[in-house]
């Protein structure tokens, strides 16, 4: 299949590589970065040209405005979309705007799936991503062979576009609140005079055990904040969740707390740190560091 892939970043590049290894032909457009080394792809001049050459167009972009520009711009994907072509947005963006993008895609004669992913760079490289999809059963069935090349846990969450994005934001809420809980617990124990490494080991054998305590707790103690998933991106995702909650007239108090702690980290120069770096904001409030 001829696939357009726009967004060959930390996540997008390995995802695209899996598609090439599965025998698909890739078309892309470059923005600031060159073509990733070793990736076989035809490079064209614009998102419009990508769409003109492709049966399916996959987007893997940082934020809602990026998707809007690439999809709806003067030389955007919809300007060159083939009749019946499928657009799959695997970015994490606003569920509200996703519904608008899907409507515009259908008006241009195409089909649309929102299919954000979880699993980070490790999951992208290992082709073990969790993929959460919003769209019709027919469009999902059409895209499933591509999803199976990139991920393992693949779920059609709902037939309304935006369902996949809503599920991804729910994922981000859970992860963020777990990171906040682990950070609070370790800073609390450390300031009380306990060895946080031994506390973490003890907790891993009880009901508090979690993947976040295992991986991110270790990062906090070791002061290892090289990004697996950047704070600024998680901050963005929590802001999207809060925006959606405001539209629905509901409160997300824990989400708001975690978002503010991440905002504090960004303000203090930690935007590019791994999201486990949220512990630094709590250390500042406690006047005590784990390291």
């Amino acid at each position: 299949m001829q696939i357009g892939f726009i967004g060959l970043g930390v996540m997008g590049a390995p995802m695209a590589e899996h598609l090439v290894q599965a025998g698909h032909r890739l078309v892309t457009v470059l923005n600031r970065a060159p073509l990733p080394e070793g990736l076989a792809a035809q490079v064209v001049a614009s998102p419009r040209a990508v769409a003109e050459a492709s049966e399916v167009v996959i987007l893997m972009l940082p934020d809602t405005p990026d998707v809007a520009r690439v999809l709806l711009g003067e030389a955007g994907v919809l300007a060159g979309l083939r009749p019946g072509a499928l657009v799959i947005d695997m970015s994490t963006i606003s569920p509200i705007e996703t519904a608008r993008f899907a409507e515009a895609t259908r008006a241009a004669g195409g089909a649309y799936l929102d299919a954000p992913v979880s699993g980070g760079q490790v999951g992208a490289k290992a082709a073990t991503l969790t993929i959460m999809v919003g769209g019709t059963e027919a469009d999902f069935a059409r895209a499933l062979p591509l999803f199976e090349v990139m991920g393992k846990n693949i779920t059609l969450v709902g037939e309304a576009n935006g369902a996949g994005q809503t599920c991804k934001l729910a994922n981000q809420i859970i992860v963020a609140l777990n990171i906040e809980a682990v950070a609070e617990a370790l800073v609390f124990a450390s300031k009380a005079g306990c060895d946080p490494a031994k506390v973490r080991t003890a907790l891993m054998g009880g009901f508090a055990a979690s993947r976040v305590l295992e991986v991110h707790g270790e990062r906090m103690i070791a002061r290892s904040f090289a990004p697996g998933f950047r704070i600024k991106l998680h901050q963005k995702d929590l802001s999207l969740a809060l925006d959606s909650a405001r539209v629905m007239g509901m409160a997300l108090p824990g989400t708001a707390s975690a978002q503010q702690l991440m905002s504090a980290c960004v303000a203090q120069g930690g935007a590019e740190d791994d999201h486990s770096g949220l512990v630094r904001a709590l250390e500042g409030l406690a006047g005590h560091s784990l390291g």
Side-chain angles (χ1 to χ4, degrees), residues 40-110:
Q42 176 190 356
V43 178
V44 295
S46 66
R48 175 177 182 165
V50 171
E52 289 171 341
S54 305
E55 305 165 57
V56 174
V57 178
I58 297 174
L59 309 179
M60 189 61 180
L61 300 166
D63 204 350
T64 308
D66 303 296
V67 175
R69 173 179 54 81
V70 166
L71 201 62
L72 306 176
E74 185 176 347
V77 167
L78 297 190
L81 198 66
R82 294 181 181 183
L86 178 61
V87 175
I88 306 173
D89 182 22
M90 303 188 80
S91 322
T92 299
I93 66 166
S94 164
I96 298 166
E97 288 300 289
T98 289
R100 182 171 72 91
F101 298 153
E103 184 178 352
T105 301
R106 287 190 290 271

Side-chain angles (χ1 to χ4, degrees), residues 7 28 46 73 129 142 175 185 212-213 217 252 273 282:
T28 192
S46 66
L129 292 169
R142 185 176 166 191
V175 173
V212 168
L213 178 61
L252 296 176
D273 287 349
L282 290 165

